[in-house]
Amino acid sequence: MALINDHFLKLPDNYLFADIAKRVNAFKVSHPQAKVISLGIGDVTRPLCPAVTEAMHKAVDEMAVKSTFRGYGPEQGYQFLREAIVKNDFLPRGIHLDPNEIFINDGAKSDTGNIQELVRWDNSIGVTDPIYPVYIDSNVMIGRAGVVENGRWSNVVYMPCKEENNFVPQIPDRRVDIIYLCYPNNPTGTVITKDELRKWVNYAIHNDAIIFYDAAYEAYIQNPDIPHSIYEIRGARKVAVEFHSYSKTAGFTGVRCGYTVVPKELTAGTLDGQSRIPLNPLWNRRQCTKFNGTSYISQRAAEATYSPEGKEQVHETINYYMTNAAIMRETLTKLGLRVYGGQDAPYLWIKTPDGTDSWQFFDRLLRGANVVCTPGVGFGPSGEGYVRLTAFGEREDCEEAMDRLARWL
Ligand SMILES: *Cc1c(COP(=O)(O)O)cnc(C)c1O
């Protein structure tokens, strides 16, 4: 008899975005004239920039000619892209990586979910709370998260990020083997300073832990003192894997391309404590077995984000979203709401007024201003009492939504 992996049965259904859609649709049916604006969009909306689409057209044309046609590419990604990454994303920050430490992927979601295969099933994990659900759910599927009680997994250490601690996660007082960090953060839009990040790197060094660092939003950082990469911290190459994505950086959510950095110095011990195993060749082995590369067209598209025109155009789009974020921050702060994030990330994290819970505020905002937000509790227990707004919409919608909020509040 074939038996299923019953760890899957422990996973609660993720109804967050389905629940939101249901409530919004019900509202639209009963209020057909209302023009509902969504500030809950978790996807980019601006089109790809010309430098990128030109590179894609060119790549397609190459594919149509026998002499330049490409079949399977290297599982690790094409050298042209790995070199462009080393040169553009790391060298200017004083980080020297070898192209063999870069693994091109089809977006950061796959690798942030898959990376946990490299460590034993009985490692403990620590996550900031609220959190991008992929980190925990991928560990649940393999049986590492333990059992769930009241929305918390027994083998997961939750590090709350709330107003009370200024969204700075506290170093856990018990040992964790694997730590997931995401900065700039989805959903809170907050960032980590070099000093705070250094504490995590030191914790990992002293406790022989590994940090999985999700830098998917690094391109949104405006403050020059905020680190773009964990490798800006001394010693991080020994303890951290880092994930990047062109999805939010350059609007690649539908194109699919990102990369994972696995430094050669990064090692983990064997159970008998007798030896240290480097993770880079292990990840290479894993990718060669389970992954056949990202499309040539997507990789040429990613490469084009590093040309002078590409850089400028990508920057323009990010500025567009960050101007939305600034408009939202200013209005909401003026209205007396407590607003976090939105300065180095496309997300704003709003404390709901008067102790309203996330879903109550969602309903009130929808009825009162016809604006859709994302209830914070959907991202973890510490998200209760907050909602997330995103800056990924159209400027007009963003301004209109702020006018309505001003009238409503
Ligand atoms: C959007 C996002 C990603 C990137 O996902 P892709 O698979 O690259 O599209 C990674 N991490 C977080 C936290 C995100 O919000």
Side-chain angles (χ1 to χ4, degrees):
M1 182 165 57
L3 299 173
I4 51 111
N5 172 356
D6 47 12
H7 297 305
F8 276 74
L9 306 181
K10 300 180 195 164
L11 279 171
D13 286 315
N14 192 347
Y15 287 132
L16 179 63
F17 289 97
D19 276 352
I20 293 173
K22 216 187 289 171
R23 291 191 196 208
V24 171
N25 287 333
F27 178 82
K28 282 181 178 167
V29 169
S30 53
H31 302 78
Q33 333 67 321
K35 182 183 170 275
V36 174
I37 296 176
S38 178
L39 297 181
I41 320 167
D43 193 358
V44 295
T45 56
R46 303 255 97 196
L48 295 171
C49 66
V52 164
T53 52
E54 278 159 29
M56 292 176 84
H57 282 298
K58 187 162 164 271
V60 169
D61 289 340
E62 287 176 41
M63 291 297 235
V65 176
K66 188 170 186 304
S67 61
T68 48
F69 167 77
R70 312 259 184 154
Y72 289 125
E75 290 92 342
Q76 305 81 357
Y78 283 104
Q79 202 63 11
F80 63 78
L81 180 54
R82 300 169 94 191
E83 281 170 6
I85 288 165
V86 166
K87 195 169 134 222
N88 292 281
D89 285 347
F90 295 99
L91 260 187
R93 305 188 197 290
I95 302 161
H96 297 261
L97 291 175
D98 184 298
N100 291 330
E101 296 175 301
I102 311 282
F103 295 85
I104 310 300
N105 60 31
D106 62 352
K109 190 186 219 176
S110 322
D111 283 4
T112 52
N114 291 331
I115 195 75
Q116 45 77 29
E117 290 180 20
L118 295 191
V119 294
R120 272 177 61 96
W121 69 273
D122 52 359
N123 277 253
S124 58
I125 70 168
V127 296
T128 55
D129 174 36
I131 189 194
Y132 181 57
V134 175
Y135 314 146
I136 294 185
D137 289 358
S138 58
N139 279 285
V140 172
M141 290 171 179
I142 208 76
R144 196 180 286 110
V147 291
V148 69
E149 257 174 66
N150 303 324
R152 286 165 186 271
W153 295 91
S154 57
N155 198 30
V156 174
V157 173
Y158 292 80
M159 305 175 293
C161 296
K162 306 198 219 191
E163 259 189 345
E164 290 83 343
N165 62 359
N166 207 19
F167 300 92
V168 177
Q170 209 188 338
I171 304 268
D173 46 16
R174 61 170 151 138
R175 234 203 89 79
V176 285
D177 304 304
I178 305 296
I179 299 146
Y180 287 88
L181 295 177
C182 173
Y183 287 104
N185 189 259
N186 177 13
T188 66
T190 58
V191 289
I192 193 164
T193 63
K194 271 192 189 162
D195 284 343
E196 284 300 326
L197 190 53
R198 191 172 295 115
K199 290 183 194 168
W200 285 103
V201 170
N202 288 339
Y203 174 87
I205 292 171
H206 293 130
N207 292 278
D208 203 354
I210 296 178
I211 299 171
F212 293 148
Y213 195 77
D214 188 345
Y217 294 94
E218 61 82 19
Y220 287 83
I221 294 173
Q222 311 288 310
N223 178 343
D225 297 329
I226 297 298
H228 287 248
S229 165
I230 195 168
Y231 306 119
E232 290 179 47
I233 310 296
R234 188 190 294 268
R237 304 164 62 104
K238 285 191 179 137
V239 293
V241 172
E242 183 165 283
F243 307 94
H244 286 247
S245 171
Y246 299 94
S247 284
K248 314 302 165 27
T249 307
F252 276 41
T253 50
V255 175
R256 310 308 302 147
C257 195
Y259 64 90
T260 296
V261 184
V262 189
K264 289 181 176 154
E265 292 99 312
L266 174 61
T267 60
T270 53
L271 183 61
D272 60 12
Q274 296 300 303
S275 43
R276 308 280 316 171
I277 309 293
L279 265 60
N280 179 290
L282 247 60
W283 184 246
N284 188 48
R285 185 70 175 84
R286 189 264 173 216
Q287 289 298 81
C288 290
T289 298
K290 297 195 180 181
F291 184 62
N292 246 344
T294 306
S295 95
Y296 174 68
I297 299 160
S298 296
Q299 293 190 61
R300 281 295 184 197
E303 182 194 29
T305 65
Y306 298 114
S307 71
E309 310 77 51
K311 278 183 183 167
E312 197 181 307
Q313 293 163 7
V314 163
H315 188 67
E316 247 171 61
T317 304
I318 288 176
N319 277 349
Y320 180 92
Y321 295 135
M322 290 311 286
T323 305
N324 285 351
I327 292 168
M328 289 156 72
R329 250 192 87 89
E330 197 190 322
T331 310
L332 299 170
T333 308
K334 262 192 206 150
L335 294 172
L337 289 167
R338 300 211 290 277
V339 183
Y340 301 93
Q343 287 172 310
D344 296 289
Y347 298 120
L348 286 84
W349 192 241
I350 317 292
K351 178 80 186 130
T352 58
D354 312 319
T356 326
D357 77 32
S358 296
W359 277 110
Q360 278 171 341
F361 188 78
F362 171 92
D363 284 330
R364 285 188 199 166
L365 185 63
L366 180 59
R367 272 184 275 120
N370 306 164
V371 169
V372 178
C373 64
T374 312
V377 69
F379 299 99
S382 297
E384 181 57 281
Y386 297 88
V387 295
R388 188 188 75 174
L389 300 181
T390 83
F392 285 135
E394 294 294 318
R395 177 70 38 79
E396 276 176 23
D397 286 345
C398 174
E399 286 170 339
E400 165 80 21
M402 290 305 109
D403 287 346
R404 289 192 202 164
L405 261 130
R407 269 178 270 137
W408 172 61
L409 276 168

